[in-house]
Amino acid sequence: QTHFPFHSLQAKMSRPVQARRLEGIDKNIWVEFVKLAATYSKVNLGQGFPDFPAPGFLTEAFTRALGGGNHMLHQYTRAFGHPPLVKVLAQFFEKLLGRDLDPMTNVMVTVGAYQALFCCFQALVDEGDEVIIIEPFFDCYEPMVKMAGGTPVFVPLRPNPPKDGKLMSSADWQLDPAELASKFSERTKAIVLNSPNNPLGKVFSRGELGLIAELCVEHDVLCISDEVYEWLVYDGKQHIRIASLQGMWDRTLIIGSAGKTFSATGWKVGWVVGPDRLLQHLRTVHQNSVYHCATIAQEAVAQGFQRELMLYGKPESYFVQLPKELQQKRDWLVQSLDDVGMKPIVPEGTYFLVADISQFKSDVPDVPNSDEPYDYRFAKWMVKNKGLAAIPLSAFYSEAHKNNYTHFIRFCFAKEEVTLKAANDILKKWKQEKTSS
Ligand code: PMP
């Protein structure tokens, strides 16, 4: 007789291996669509990254840091941010916010904006806390809130189509003030604001930010302000930082990304700027998880910011040039889409554009009772049959609201002229086939 019969060994293996907090968040849009794009796309306007080079001054700074005489740049640096980077970020944000900042306590460097967000939720959200998320939203907010034990509470931007036959703008998607107010309660710990917003490209107006700020102050709610597209604003619009509104500095964490700011998403350098009373807790999470971000990348980003500080507001500034170039790319893509009847929603900011696919529905028939939203099926069909990759908009909605937004897809236009031209060719040919069939 044995004490370890075979069946009991098997029984032990049937115990769930994953932690409960991962339940229901194991599906991820990026895993699926990045793979589809890699397999089928000829033109990839899906995931958000530029296919043009990062600016020379930045890559040269990296090369200098790598090959220059300072071998200590290959070692650990200060955990909460390489001193030259936190210093210049503090100087830069002092200018933007009009307040004095301490580089050591008001700035923390992270592994991209992703880790900045993760630190925020882990540090601030407890079991039972509610976090308000404005839909459509950058998809990771929801699983990050859940992993922290919190409950996401969604409030949608509601589209108001223009009546004059003009193209819709991202500004036509608005919060209903009463609906927003109804989501705040004593359980609300934080609201996530993302302006300029991915995926719509909406740049929140001073009035909209004022409304959010008033509610945050009234209900003592924190604001996690994801501003990774802060420099990508078009048509002379201005990006307004909610932290600069009355009563907001003490309750706001500003999140940024060198990946978006300097067109170098692979470097994964991000930051959080905010009051020490909040940042001290983010430091605890950061210290005990990733510890710090690659020293050389931080050194190069610091030099990039030093350049930008010197050229602030001048025509040579990358923060002035990049949006100019992107605005032109936006206009090209708007035109291409409008020409074929895939109605674009003109974004005020970011490098994303959402388009209405209703007129193309006859090409990709709906499957009644399928649990896959129509836009997912459309985007999959499009990449497989037309070689054009985009992301379904419903991926940026909670499960409960997905089915209200299944006739839009998101394109990224941070692409070389040839890439956008190739997309235009695909769309034109498709339209011709449609009209001749
Ligand atoms: N926030 C938003 C709104 C984003 O779109 C992204 C990247 N797509 C991130 C955060 C993450 O940025 P990073 O690459 O710096 O981690």
Side-chain angles (χ1 to χ4, degrees):
Q1 206 186 0
T2 166
H3 290 287
F4 300 103
F6 184 63
H7 70 266
S8 78
L9 284 178
Q10 271 198 330
K12 277 203 168 153
M13 284 183 68
S14 66
R15 166 177 159 167
V17 289
Q18 94 273 29
R20 270 195 306 279
R21 64 182 165 275
L22 300 192
E23 273 166 27
I25 62 166
D26 49 348
K27 258 189 126 179
N28 182 286
I29 173 80
W30 305 111
V31 175
E32 190 176 14
F33 277 81
V34 166
K35 191 164 166 219
L36 278 169
T39 313
Y40 298 105
S41 78
K42 296 190 195 85
V43 181
N44 185 0
L45 304 189
Q47 210 186 357
F49 60 86
D51 71 348
F52 47 79
F57 67 83
L58 191 78
T59 51
E60 282 153 24
F62 195 100
T63 313
R64 269 199 309 277
L66 185 72
N70 186 359
H71 65 268
M72 291 314 287
L73 291 176
H74 293 276
Q75 305 306 327
Y76 291 133
T77 183
R78 178 176 167 269
F80 309 121
H82 189 46
L85 181 54
V86 288
K87 235 165 136 180
V88 72
L89 279 170
Q91 282 175 302
F92 214 101
F93 276 88
E94 276 181 354
K95 223 179 190 20
L96 300 177
L97 297 168
R99 66 164 54 243
D100 289 342
L101 296 177
D102 176 352
M104 299 299 149
T105 58
N106 294 135
V107 183
M108 185 176 90
V109 176
T110 56
V111 182
Y114 258 109
Q115 194 230 332
L117 288 161
F118 189 75
C119 285
C120 288
F121 295 120
Q122 287 296 317
L124 308 173
V125 176
D126 252 329
E127 295 281 334
D129 285 346
E130 291 184 356
V131 176
I132 299 173
I133 297 176
I134 301 168
E135 290 181 305
F137 60 92
F138 179 48
D139 64 294
C140 74
Y141 303 154
E142 181 180 5
M144 283 197 192
V145 168
K146 286 180 174 166
M147 274 191 278
T151 306
V153 172
F154 300 99
V155 60
L157 287 166
R158 297 199 176 274
N160 304 294
K163 289 182 184 68
D164 50 12
K166 276 205 303 213
L167 286 177
M168 200 181 212
S169 152
S170 56
D172 295 322
W173 290 59
Q174 288 170 359
L175 289 165
D176 172 335
E179 190 177 19
L180 177 66
S182 75
K183 305 292 175 184
F184 282 75
S185 73
E186 72 271 17
R187 290 183 303 278
T188 314
K189 185 68 184 281
I191 180 167
V192 187
L193 172 70
N194 174 212
S195 180
N197 159 279
N198 172 11
L200 277 176
K202 180 181 171 67
V203 177
F204 284 68
S205 68
R206 189 173 287 280
E208 291 169 314
L209 295 175
L211 178 71
I212 296 169
E214 259 175 42
L215 288 164
C216 285
V217 172
E218 185 188 332
H219 295 272
D220 191 16
V221 163
L222 304 173
C223 180
I224 299 169
S225 185
D226 180 342
E227 303 184 24
V228 299
Y229 300 105
E230 60 192 318
W231 300 106
L232 308 185
V233 176
Y234 311 124
D235 306 319
K237 268 232 148 77
Q238 210 199 341
H239 169 59
I240 298 163
R241 292 172 176 77
I242 196 165
S244 65
L245 271 52
Q246 202 173 12
M248 288 308 286
W249 164 255
D250 285 326
R251 57 181 70 253
T252 302
L253 289 158
I254 304 170
I255 291 173
S257 162
K260 307 294 177 181
T261 300
F262 288 115
S263 309
T265 57
W267 288 21
K268 295 299 294 184
V269 177
W271 55 84
V272 190
V273 174
D276 188 38
R277 80 169 187 118
L278 302 181
L279 270 182
Q280 61 173 310
H281 304 298
L282 273 67
R283 290 197 291 270
T284 307
V285 177
H286 182 76
Q287 171 79 44
N288 294 300
S289 50
V290 305
Y291 184 60
H292 84 62
C293 165
T295 310
I296 285 191
Q298 293 194 61
E299 172 70 20
V301 170
Q303 292 190 25
F305 265 106
Q306 278 153 15
R307 176 192 186 269
E308 287 304 305
L309 193 57
M310 239 161 47
L311 296 176
Y312 185 72
K314 300 217 170 92
E316 310 91 280
S317 157
Y318 191 67
F319 298 169
V320 173
Q321 284 176 350
L322 181 64
K324 252 194 185 158
E325 282 170 29
L326 284 169
Q327 182 170 324
Q328 192 175 36
K329 292 174 191 295
R330 175 199 68 169
D331 293 344
W332 284 336
L333 187 59
V334 163
Q335 190 66 55
S336 298
L337 291 165
D338 193 28
D339 284 350
V340 299
M342 202 178 271
K343 274 191 280 172
I345 299 165
V346 182
E348 306 154 273
T350 76
Y351 44 52
F352 300 111
L353 186 166
V354 170
D356 186 329
I357 53 176
S358 300
Q359 287 189 31
F360 286 73
K361 276 192 157 173
S362 56
D363 285 18
V364 189
D366 206 351
V367 178
N369 305 324
S370 159
D371 56 6
E372 186 170 50
Y374 176 75
D375 56 345
Y376 271 68
R377 227 180 1 269
F378 184 91
K380 285 182 185 176
W381 181 92
M382 188 169 80
V383 71
K384 287 181 187 167
N385 292 276
K386 302 291 173 189
L388 180 59
I391 304 293
L393 185 70
S394 67
F396 302 92
Y397 281 88
S398 61
E399 207 52 46
H401 300 156
K402 258 187 192 350
N403 285 327
N404 302 335
Y405 299 90
T406 57
H407 58 286
F408 296 102
I409 52 176
R410 189 201 76 175
F411 294 99
C412 171
F413 57 83
K415 304 293 169 187
E416 298 270 23
E417 204 176 321
V418 286
T419 316
L420 294 171
K421 191 169 173 317
N424 183 47
D425 292 346
I426 291 175
L427 290 165
K428 259 186 159 156
K429 190 158 164 253
W430 187 358
K431 167 79 172 177
Q432 276 160 8
E433 285 163 7
K434 275 173 77 66
T435 36
S436 60
S437 65

